[in-house]
């Protein structure tokens, strides 16, 4: 008599999927959702009284033209290289 789940190989695949499913849900909720939401928020400009307005790439243009941003990038890169190579 055959099981409703099919062959033994199909049941093993289903069991493997069910074991991996909690990790997939965990990463989806705690990693990918905030990542996508932050990316969406990066295109908005926050105005007084909790209002927002679509700013497009203007925010990125402003950040990339700021010399302080590039100083921070350089300092971070130097710190990373020194930290990674120091024993």
């Amino acid at each position: 008599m055959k099981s409703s789940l099919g062959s033994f190989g199909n049941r093993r695949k289903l069991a493997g999927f069910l074991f991996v499913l909690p990790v997939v849900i965990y990463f989806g909720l705690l990693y990918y959702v905030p990542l996508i939401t932050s990316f969406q928020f990066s295109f908005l400009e926050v105005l007084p009284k909790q209002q927002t307005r679509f700013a497009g790439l203007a925010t990125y243009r402003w950040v990339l033209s700021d010399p302080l941003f590039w100083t921070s990038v350089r300092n971070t890169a130097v710190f990373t290289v020194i930290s990674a190579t120091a024993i």
Side-chain angles (χ1 to χ4, degrees):
M1 178 181 249
K2 263 195 147 179
S3 168
S4 63
L5 290 175
S7 70
F8 180 72
N10 287 340
R11 282 185 275 163
R12 279 185 67 117
K13 288 178 187 177
L14 178 63
F17 176 76
L18 291 176
F19 277 114
V20 172
L21 187 61
V23 175
V24 171
I25 292 171
Y26 173 80
F27 276 111
L29 292 176
L30 297 178
Y31 181 74
Y32 295 115
V33 171
L35 181 71
I36 293 168
T37 304
S38 297
F39 181 70
Q40 290 173 339
F41 284 155
S42 72
F43 293 103
L44 299 177
E45 179 182 1
V46 179
L47 303 171
K49 296 184 182 177
Q50 301 295 329
Q51 297 175 356
T52 58
R53 176 176 66 184
F54 182 73
L57 295 175
T59 307
Y60 287 101
R61 221 176 288 124
W62 174 72
V63 167
L64 294 175
S65 66
D66 187 7
L68 186 60
F69 170 76
W70 292 109
T71 302
S72 300
V73 169
R74 182 182 54 83
N75 290 344
T76 302
V78 168
F79 177 79
T80 302
V81 168
I82 291 172
S83 297
T85 58
I87 292 179

